[in-house]
């Protein structure tokens, strides 16, 4: 694990945020603390930190967010602001506002999502520039301006009904589902931006819905919020590890809980818009027609821009190269053209297995490359090996009267070094190609 801190904590003392910092440090999210906004700006100059946790009680805290973001531009800097004062801030001042510190496991999940979303938004800007420079601007998806759609699943209860009313007052379209069966019917019939699950006297229905959502690739990213009857009924760390985006007790003011649900719903919708913008590149005439992946010239052009962006934003960048291993089954499939028939499917699998912000290219018939922004070398190797392992579990048609064949990859990874050119980085990754252990 890297020893570098990831989070800047801006607080005059440890009274409010200190326990949260200890919990985050224990989870591997190292923090560094600044006791003033001026000190925070200096820390951001010295350290390429990913996110900020801000004590909203500090004088000028809301205005200080703009100063911190300007310091790190063009890198995006998500902010989690905590304190009673944040309830009065203008919408959008910080990505997340909470009147009280969250559980450390919850904060880690939210901060991870914010950090990845920031990187994806940076990639949107870079990708738009790459395509515009080649005379084919990316189509910009129309933003969804419909009311936020929230599923409220559980038996009617006065607290639950009050929360539904608070969400409706914020312009959300709330759909009530009294049972897990009706909840899943609604989830499969229409899109939702968030789901609120009532814990009530029995948590089992809510846990069942959440587990089912996490097993479904289409529903996986919809934030699920558990609304508990009391404050200390169940292990919070266990709930967050199960995939809940937030947990609220019924003694939390309905307005605050509704604002937290709305913020999660807005973030989810924004994530979908970012993903749609990035995926729109696949339908352009510049990508490989068989797989939708970047062609070698397009990848080289974009990699240069990504590398420059990594330097300006002080983020790491890694390249992974995956080459189809020349095993005996592959050699046989290559003879009769069955490998050529499988490669478009393999390329499509590569494109689905990468993260939103990653860029995949087809360098030659059976060689693929991945540009992984904000990723260290060891993490890039884990990601590439995972993709190779998933594809290695797929059987491809080898023709009549022949057993299907599987494809193994040889993987090479390199992390960009100071002053290194994108071409040299790609050469090092190619030279590193070897069979996974």
């Amino acid at each position: 694990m890297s020893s570098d801190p990831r989070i800047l904590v801006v607080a005059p003392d440890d009274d409010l945020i200190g326990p949260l910092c200890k919990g985050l440090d224990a989870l591997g999210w190292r923090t560094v603390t600044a006791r003033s906004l001026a000190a925070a700006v200096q820390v951001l100059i010295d350290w390429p930190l990913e996110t900020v946790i801000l004590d909203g009680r500090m004088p000028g805290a809301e205005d200080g967010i703009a100063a911190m973001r300007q310091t790190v531009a063009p890198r995006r800097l998500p902010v989690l602001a905590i304190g009673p004062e944040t309830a009065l801030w203008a919408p959008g001042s910080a990505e997340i506002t909470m009147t009280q510190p969250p559980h450390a496991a919850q904060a880690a999940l939210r901060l991870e999502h914010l950090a990845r979303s920031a990187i994806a938004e940076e990639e949107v800007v870079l990708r738009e520039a790459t395509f515009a420079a080649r005379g084919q601007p990316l189509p910009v998806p129309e933003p969804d301006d419909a009311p936020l759609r929230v599923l409220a699943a559980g038996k009617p209860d006065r607290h639950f009904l009050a929360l539904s009313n608070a969400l409706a007052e914020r312009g959300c379209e709330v759909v009530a589902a009294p049972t897990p069966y009706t909840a899943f019917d609604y989830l499969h019939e229409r899109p939702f931006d968030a789901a609120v699950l009532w814990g009530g006297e029995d948590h089992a229905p809510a846990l069942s819905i959440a587990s089912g959502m996490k097993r479904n690739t289409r529903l996986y990213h919809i934030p699920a919020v558990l609304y508990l009857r009391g404050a200390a009924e169940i292990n919070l760390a266990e709930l967050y590890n199960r995939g809940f985006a937030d947990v609220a007790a019924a003694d939390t003011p309905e307005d605050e809980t509704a604002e937290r649900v709305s913020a999660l719903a807005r973030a989810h919708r924004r994530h979908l818009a970012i993903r749609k913008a990035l995926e729109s590149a696949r339908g352009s005439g510049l990508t490989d027609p068989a797989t939708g992946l970047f062609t070698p010239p397009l990848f080289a052009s974009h990699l240069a821009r990504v590398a420059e962006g990594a330097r300006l934003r002080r983020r790491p960048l890694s390249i992974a190269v995956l080459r189809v291993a020349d095993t005996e089954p592959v050699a046989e499939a290559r003879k009769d053209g069955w490998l050529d028939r499988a490669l478009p499917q393999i390329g499509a699998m590569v494109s689905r297995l990468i993260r939103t912000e990653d860029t995949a290219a087809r360098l030659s018939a059976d060689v693929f490359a991945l540009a992984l922004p904000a990723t260290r070398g060891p993490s890039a190797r884990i990601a590439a090996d995972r993709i190779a392992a998933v594809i290695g579990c797929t059987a491809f048609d080898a023709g009549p009267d022949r057993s299907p064949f599987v494809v193994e990859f040889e993987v090479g990874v390199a992390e960009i070094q100071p002053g290194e050119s994108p071409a040299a980085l790609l050469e090092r990754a190619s030279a590193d190609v070897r069979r996974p252990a």
Side-chain angles (χ1 to χ4, degrees):
M1 183 180 67
S2 171
S3 61
D4 291 342
R6 300 180 65 183
I7 304 172
L8 169 61
V9 176
V10 188
D13 51 53
D14 293 330
D15 293 348
L16 183 66
I17 303 179
L20 174 60
C21 293
K22 291 181 180 178
L24 287 168
D25 285 331
L27 293 173
W29 282 76
R30 285 202 57 211
T31 61
V32 58
T33 301
R35 294 304 186 191
S36 69
L37 291 169
V41 169
Q42 186 58 51
V43 171
L44 289 170
I45 293 173
D46 296 337
W47 293 90
L49 299 164
E50 297 178 46
T51 58
V52 171
I53 298 178
L54 175 63
D55 188 331
R57 302 172 303 167
M58 298 184 70
E62 187 176 6
D63 294 334
I65 294 175
M68 289 189 287
R69 286 176 171 158
Q70 186 177 3
T71 300
V72 303
R75 177 160 48 92
R76 296 177 184 266
L77 187 68
V79 177
L80 164 60
I82 300 173
E85 295 78 4
T86 63
L88 304 176
W89 287 9
S93 296
E95 279 71 17
I96 302 175
T97 57
M98 293 184 170
T99 57
Q100 296 295 326
H103 190 279
Q106 177 194 6
L109 286 173
R110 298 294 297 274
L111 291 171
E112 180 68 37
H113 177 78
L114 287 177
R116 298 316 312 182
S117 294
I119 296 164
E121 290 190 45
E122 293 169 2
E123 173 62 20
V124 169
V125 174
L126 296 173
R127 201 167 292 189
E128 286 177 342
T130 294
F131 278 76
R134 299 179 73 83
Q136 195 167 109
L138 288 178
V140 179
E142 289 295 325
D144 186 355
D145 55 1
L148 295 170
R149 305 176 192 92
V150 179
L151 176 71
K155 294 181 179 180
D157 177 276
R158 64 183 182 87
H159 295 294
F160 203 41
L161 293 175
L163 174 60
S164 296
N165 292 335
L167 286 167
E169 289 174 0
R170 283 163 174 74
C172 296
E173 178 187 325
V174 182
V175 177
T179 69
Y181 300 104
T182 53
F184 279 111
D185 283 344
Y186 284 133
L187 285 167
H188 289 297
E189 288 174 0
R190 63 185 78 173
F192 285 94
D193 301 296
V196 182
L197 313 179
W198 174 237
E201 297 179 0
D202 182 9
H203 299 120
L207 296 178
S208 172
I209 295 171
S211 297
M213 291 174 66
K214 295 307 168 187
R215 289 194 299 268
N216 186 295
T217 55
R218 193 177 64 83
L219 306 176
Y220 179 84
H221 293 289
I222 298 176
V225 179
L226 180 62
Y227 196 30
L228 291 174
R229 183 184 58 177
E233 302 174 42
I234 199 166
N235 186 304
L236 289 177
E238 178 185 350
L239 289 174
Y240 291 121
N241 289 333
R242 284 188 179 214
F244 282 100
D246 200 352
V247 178
D251 57 4
T252 305
E254 285 86 6
D255 284 343
E256 179 179 337
T257 303
E259 187 55 42
R260 285 157 61 174
V261 173
S262 299
L264 284 167
R266 286 192 297 269
H268 173 68
R269 185 170 289 188
R270 183 170 182 79
H271 175 78
L272 292 181
I274 293 169
R275 175 176 286 277
K276 187 178 293 185
L278 292 174
E279 289 180 346
S280 65
R282 296 177 188 169
S284 75
L286 299 177
T287 54
D288 178 61
T291 62
L293 302 181
F294 279 39
T295 60
L298 182 62
F299 185 67
S301 174
H302 188 60
L303 181 58
R305 189 166 275 107
V306 172
E308 177 62 14
R311 185 189 67 79
L312 290 173
R313 295 171 174 83
R314 296 193 294 168
R315 294 194 189 275
L317 168 67
S318 294
I319 294 291
V321 174
L322 295 89
R323 183 174 65 202
V324 174
D326 199 18
T327 59
E328 184 175 340
V330 166
E332 288 297 318
R334 193 188 300 273
K335 289 179 183 177
D336 299 324
W338 291 100
L339 177 62
D340 292 336
R341 293 181 176 89
L343 283 170
Q345 182 181 347
I346 293 170
M349 293 178 71
V350 170
S351 70
R352 290 196 298 270
L353 291 169
I354 60 175
R355 301 167 304 181
T356 302
E357 64 270 21
D358 298 336
T359 301
R362 188 179 188 182
L363 299 185
S364 65
D366 54 3
V367 178
F368 303 91
L370 310 175
L372 301 110
T375 305
R376 298 288 181 188
S379 297
R381 183 168 294 281
I382 291 172
D385 287 347
R386 176 183 61 84
I387 291 171
V390 171
I391 296 176
C393 294
T394 304
F396 299 97
D397 189 10
D401 303 323
R402 288 189 180 182
S403 299
F405 69 98
V406 296
V407 171
E408 297 180 24
F409 281 105
E410 298 169 337
V411 177
V413 172
E415 180 182 342
I416 197 166
Q417 301 300 314
E420 185 176 28
S421 70
L425 172 64
L426 183 56
E427 286 178 5
R428 279 204 300 120
S430 300
D432 184 61
V433 167
R434 58 182 183 271
R435 193 77 62 87

